[in-house]
Amino acid sequence: MLNTYSMLIKKLFFHESWDIMIIKNNSHLFPENTLDILNNSKAQLLRKKYTFQADPFIIEKEDKLYVFYEAFSFLNSRGMLKCRVLDSNLGEVEDIKLEGFDGLKCHLSFPFLFYHEGELFMIPESSERKEVMLFRCTEFPGRWEMIKVLISDAEFTDNIYFTSGDKSYLISTTMKNEMVIHTACSLFGKWEKITPTLKLSNYHHRGAGKPYFVNNKNYILTQECHPGCYGKSIYIKELIGISPLNFEEKLVANISPLINQSAGVHTLNFTDSYIVYDTKNLIFSLLSPLKKISYKFQVKFRKQFFA
């Protein structure tokens, strides 16, 4: 009976709060010592400004660190994209709201960044619009323009883009955390769904960061998600092979919330000098029931708007 009451109190009066942690380390050799560094290095907390500060992607440029992330507040229950600028000593310099996204009027998160032919691009998570959209940076870091809808009429989350051989690939997940793979001849080509034979290390597919090519091996990061438990941990997987016929991966390591004694971790990225990840904690508030009801109402309203 006591356990039932505890679970009810937790469900009613606790809500998730995500934060971003940064480690400065010049000896990181992914994936060989990634877990060792995460477990034994002191991480700096990005100054708290929003209920959720999550999905960090980073760019190291001209002695500055640019952390692109989702900023979420219960006031509007809609994530927006920001960029926190830090100096080489991790001093916070500026917090920039990214321009070029307001007209979408949907929840945005997971600002997946990549370079293509010398230009910086982003594929944010915009599942409420049922579109996978490609943006190009027109003025770093704050100005962006939408240049192409890659996939329409599909509610996909946390899309991962990469190339292999002469093909471009997009790995997505549905709202039920089912893997969906698309391929094209190039980033700007026509994207088509493929159904290769899957040899999976586990059934956790949702993106948890950029793919990395290290020592002639391809690695992808995925997050552990269970019903009722979102963003529990991160899996590092080696992508053994991918083609329209076959997809094979091998589990390399698991990054658990034990790295900082939190309730979860679900995005990790790094540069030559920095590692960044997000971390979940459960916060008690008497207003949590109202916040959760407001969130569900606003999400339902936006989905009906985009239907």
Side-chain angles (χ1 to χ4, degrees):
M1 183 65 72
L2 183 61
N3 187 50
T4 301
Y5 282 131
S6 297
M7 291 177 62
L8 181 60
I9 291 172
K10 182 178 178 181
K11 184 175 182 180
L12 287 176
F13 296 106
F14 284 81
H15 64 264
E16 293 183 3
S17 176
W18 286 88
D19 291 291
I20 293 173
M21 312 297 293
I22 306 172
I23 296 173
K24 186 173 183 179
N25 190 294
N26 294 315
S27 60
H28 182 205
L29 298 173
F30 179 84
E32 283 82 1
N33 64 354
T34 301
L35 286 178
D36 181 61
I37 291 174
L38 291 172
N39 281 310
N40 297 295
S41 300
K42 184 178 180 180
Q44 177 170 312
L45 175 71
L46 201 68
R47 191 163 69 244
K48 186 77 167 180
K49 293 187 176 184
Y50 309 95
T51 307
F52 289 6
Q53 298 184 163
D55 298 346
F57 285 77
I58 56 175
I59 290 178
E60 187 178 352
K61 186 175 182 179
E62 297 174 353
D63 293 325
K64 285 188 172 65
L65 181 65
Y66 298 85
V67 181
F68 294 78
Y69 68 100
E70 172 203 351
F72 172 93
S73 171
F74 277 113
L75 291 175
N76 61 10
S77 293
R78 186 175 73 189
M80 60 181 176
L81 302 180
K82 306 271 291 190
C83 178
R84 196 77 59 93
V85 185
L86 297 89
D87 61 27
S88 58
N89 295 315
L90 298 183
E92 297 188 23
V93 177
E94 195 173 2
D95 191 41
I96 301 170
K97 181 182 177 183
L98 303 190
E99 298 182 16
F101 300 91
D102 286 344
L104 301 178
K105 301 185 184 299
C106 70
H107 171 85
L108 294 167
S109 60
F110 203 74
F112 181 86
L113 297 173
F114 63 98
Y115 283 97
H116 175 75
E117 296 182 351
E119 292 189 289
L120 181 61
F121 291 87
M122 179 195 297
I123 302 176
E125 190 270 297
S126 56
S127 60
E128 286 184 348
R129 291 185 63 91
K130 297 184 178 180
E131 292 178 324
V132 178
M133 296 178 287
L134 178 67
F135 287 79
R136 177 172 56 202
C137 186
T138 58
E139 184 179 330
F140 185 82
R143 294 184 183 274
W144 298 76
E145 65 174 355
M146 199 275 283
I147 59 172
K148 184 179 176 64
V149 175
L150 302 179
I151 301 170
S152 58
D153 299 321
E155 208 170 358
F156 293 150
T157 65
D158 301 350
N159 306 278
I160 303 297
Y161 167 83
F162 60 94
T163 60
S164 180
D166 60 351
K167 292 285 187 180
S168 294
Y169 290 93
L170 199 64
I171 299 179
S172 313
T173 48
T174 68
M175 302 308 291
K176 295 181 179 180
N177 289 321
E178 299 165 330
M179 178 190 286
V180 180
I181 305 175
H182 287 78
T183 188
C185 60
S186 69
L187 176 62
F188 304 106
K190 182 181 179 181
W191 287 89
E192 297 180 340
K193 182 179 177 180
I194 59 173
T195 55
T197 300
L198 301 178
K199 296 181 180 179
L200 304 175
S201 61
N202 60 41
Y203 290 92
H204 299 284
H205 315 305
R206 188 165 178 168
K210 290 177 59 177
Y212 292 94
F213 184 72
V214 180
N215 295 329
N216 296 316
K217 294 182 178 180
N218 289 302
Y219 296 93
I220 57 175
L221 305 177
T222 67
Q223 59 173 287
E224 180 184 7
C225 287
H226 299 279
C229 185
Y230 166 71
K232 184 178 180 181
S233 70
I234 295 173
Y235 293 106
I236 302 174
K237 303 175 181 179
E238 181 184 349
L239 187 57
I240 303 299
I242 184 171
S243 73
L245 298 177
N246 296 289
F247 177 99
E248 182 178 0
E249 64 184 20
K250 180 177 70 174
L251 184 62
V252 175
N254 178 231
I255 302 171
S256 81
L258 292 176
I259 60 174
N260 65 349
Q261 305 301 315
S262 65
V265 53
H266 78 351
T267 307
L268 180 140
N269 286 291
F270 59 87
T271 65
D272 290 340
S273 303
Y274 303 93
I275 302 174
V276 64
Y277 64 92
D278 55 12
T279 183
K280 176 173 69 173
N281 288 289
L282 299 178
I283 305 298
F284 173 81
S285 171
L286 293 174
L287 296 177
S288 285
L290 293 176
K291 292 178 179 180
K292 293 176 181 179
I293 291 172
S294 174
Y295 170 74
K296 289 182 179 180
F297 174 80
Q298 292 188 60
V299 169
K300 184 177 181 180
F301 174 80
R302 289 198 302 270
K303 287 189 174 183
Q304 288 176 341
F305 178 78
F306 292 118

